Amino acid sequence: MVNIELYRVFYTVARCGSLTRAAEELFISQPAVSQAVKQLEGQLGTSLFNRTHRGMELSVQGGKLIFKQVEEALALLDDAENKLLELKTTASGTIRIGATDSIFSNILADKIVTFNEKYPAVRFELITGTTPETITQLKENKCDIGFLNLPVEDKDVNFTGTVAHLSDIFVASSEKYAALAGKSVNLKDLQEYPLLMIESNTVARRSFAAYTQSMGISLSPDIEVANWDLMLKLARRGMGIGCVPREYAMKELASGELFELNITPSLPVRGVGMALPKHVSVPFALREFMALFN
């Protein structure tokens, strides 16, 4: 079996012309250098150097015959190592991100733009889906990173932390429900009004149901919607009172089209988590993207 390190010692000694200088360059002892040369000579069955008072000279029938090939081989190996190192220290390639439409729009969009300005060579593949669908993508290694509505418990993906908090609130049209503005409304009394809620198969809806049920409250929606944008549109038109993360309704609240109801008790804060596939190395570009959330 070829021992690359022995050839690296041989090459360094040949280039330096001295056991002492080679030892200094290789950061090993002179006896270790001498022993490595003798070991390689023993394996090849020939003397590689002539030991002279001036130092180490390549032998005509040994060292000089193989020096050029050894030099080229070591250069090829160094080039291969550098290419691998470049993958770990250079932002290139494609980052496949899985998340819901709302997470992309409200949490990731600005981060993606910021990253692109710094690393324009990196491409993005945006994979839209529900949180359960994103988890499946991670498990099947079809996306490199996922952003998930919490709480989620799944030991088959690698959760790396919470990147944002979501405060679920109830919002209503400032025109149609003006009478409720500024008033304290009990959570259970909301059933007296038409309610807009996200679909029941979502993490947000399951979290809401678990909380209300724990308090002995049952709230059923009059309209279920597939996404937050549609809910906000219907709420603006007075179709009902919508339950939506405050962070996703900032524009409508700021414009006054919708107002936030003063609900007691308030709903618990949720989060958006970041997750990676298990047992997969993280390239430099993805590490740099993740760093934007620290």
Side-chain angles (χ1 to χ4, degrees), residues 11-23 25 56:
Y11 174 71
T12 306
V13 172
R15 189 165 45 77
C16 293
S18 164
L19 293 175
T20 301
R21 288 198 295 273
E25 186 169 316
M56 304 289 284

Side-chain angles (χ1 to χ4, degrees), residues 170 186-191 195 197 208-220 263-265 267:
F170 287 91
N186 193 283
L187 184 60
K188 65 181 180 180
D189 293 335
L190 285 176
Q191 193 61 70
L195 295 178
M197 291 188 183
F208 174 82
Y211 176 69
T212 54
Q213 289 172 10
S214 70
M215 301 183 65
I217 299 174
S218 178
L219 294 176
S220 300
I263 300 295
T264 56
L267 301 179

Side-chain angles (χ1 to χ4, degrees), residues 99-112 147 149 163-166 227-229 232 244-252 272 293:
T100 66
D101 278 328
S102 297
I103 292 176
F104 273 124
S105 298
N106 296 282
I107 297 174
L108 301 182
D110 289 342
K111 301 291 187 183
I112 291 172
F147 292 84
N149 283 304
V163 299
H165 291 94
L166 301 177
N227 58 71
W228 303 113
D229 289 339
L232 291 170
V244 60
R246 180 186 293 114
E247 292 75 10
Y248 295 172
M250 298 302 293
K251 180 180 177 182
E252 290 77 7
V272 173
F293 299 89

Side-chain angles (χ1 to χ4, degrees), residues 60 150 254:
V60 174
L150 303 178

Side-chain angles (χ1 to χ4, degrees), residues 35 65 89 92 115 124 127 147 177 187 202 210 221 253:
Q35 181 60 36
L65 291 177
T89 58
S92 59
F115 186 87
F124 284 98
I127 306 169
F147 292 84
Y177 295 98
L187 184 60
T202 60
L253 294 172

Side-chain angles (χ1 to χ4, degrees), residues 56-75:
M56 304 289 284
E57 295 180 352
L58 289 172
S59 62
V60 174
Q61 298 301 318
K64 285 188 177 181
L65 291 177
I66 67 170
F67 177 80
K68 188 62 176 178
Q69 288 88 345
V70 170
E71 183 177 47
E72 292 174 353
L74 291 176

Side-chain angles (χ1 to χ4, degrees), residues 25-55:
E25 186 169 316
L26 293 168
F27 296 101
I28 58 177
S29 67
Q30 181 175 325
V33 172
S34 179
Q35 181 60 36
V37 171
K38 290 179 181 178
Q39 185 177 344
L40 183 59
E41 289 177 329
Q43 289 181 5
L44 298 178
T46 187
S47 176
L48 298 174
F49 292 97
N50 296 320
R51 281 77 170 170
T52 71
H53 67 280
R54 293 189 299 274

Side-chain angles (χ1 to χ4, degrees), residues 153-173:
E153 293 184 8
D154 197 309
K155 296 181 180 179
D156 292 326
V157 295
N158 180 23
F159 288 95
T160 61
T162 300
V163 299
H165 291 94
L166 301 177
S167 303
D168 290 322
I169 61 173
F170 287 91
V171 297
S173 166

